[in-house]
Amino acid sequence: EDTEAGTPQGGVISPILANIALLGMIRLIEKLYPRKSDNRPFARVIRYADDFVVISKDLEIIEQCQTAISKWLKPIGLEIKPEKTRICHTLNHIEYNGKAEEPGFDFLGFN
């Protein structure tokens, strides 16, 4: 069906608009959790269009980033989709919210 308003899903302009719109999200996380004195990020956002991951050594920081990002997205009419959101460790099995989480994650076709 033709799109009557907005940008069509999968349209060529969608990724660039997402990159522009979500740049503020990355700046927020960089401001809240800046680089340490050894020049390593305390929390880092890796994003491609409207897909992103937040990485940090500290689970508490990941949870704080999730809350901050949710609050940041709300005024622009966006939200984190719970079914696409997962907190895990990249190397070890963990239990999070009463659920066993496998290590690693898929992002842009890679694990």
Side-chain angles (χ1 to χ4, degrees):
E1 293 181 28
D2 289 335
T3 302
E4 294 179 21
T7 303
Q9 180 73 19
V12 294
I13 194 68
S14 293
I16 189 72
L17 291 176
N19 278 315
I20 291 167
L22 297 179
L23 178 60
M25 179 183 75
I26 290 177
R27 288 183 176 161
L28 170 69
I29 299 304
E30 288 173 346
K31 181 180 176 185
L32 292 173
Y33 307 103
R35 294 180 182 269
K36 293 181 179 180
S37 60
D38 63 359
N39 208 27
R40 288 188 174 165
F42 194 62
R44 180 163 207 112
V45 179
I46 301 168
R47 179 174 51 90
Y48 180 80
D50 61 349
D51 292 322
F52 64 91
V53 295
V54 178
I55 57 175
S56 177
K57 294 190 313 184
D58 189 329
L59 176 60
E60 185 177 339
I61 296 301
I62 296 294
E63 293 170 329
Q64 291 171 6
C65 287
Q66 184 178 17
T67 300
I69 289 170
S70 292
K71 287 180 182 178
W72 187 88
L73 291 171
K74 192 171 186 168
I76 59 174
L78 299 173
E79 62 185 23
I80 296 174
K81 291 196 176 273
E83 62 273 8
K84 293 178 121 184
T85 302
R86 183 170 162 245
I87 293 180
C88 67
H89 193 283
T90 55
L91 300 173
N92 303 314
H93 290 82
I94 64 167
E95 187 170 314
Y96 187 76
N97 282 341
K99 181 182 172 192
E101 291 291 343
E102 295 292 321
F105 58 93
D106 296 330
F107 185 64
L108 303 176
F110 293 92
N111 183 284

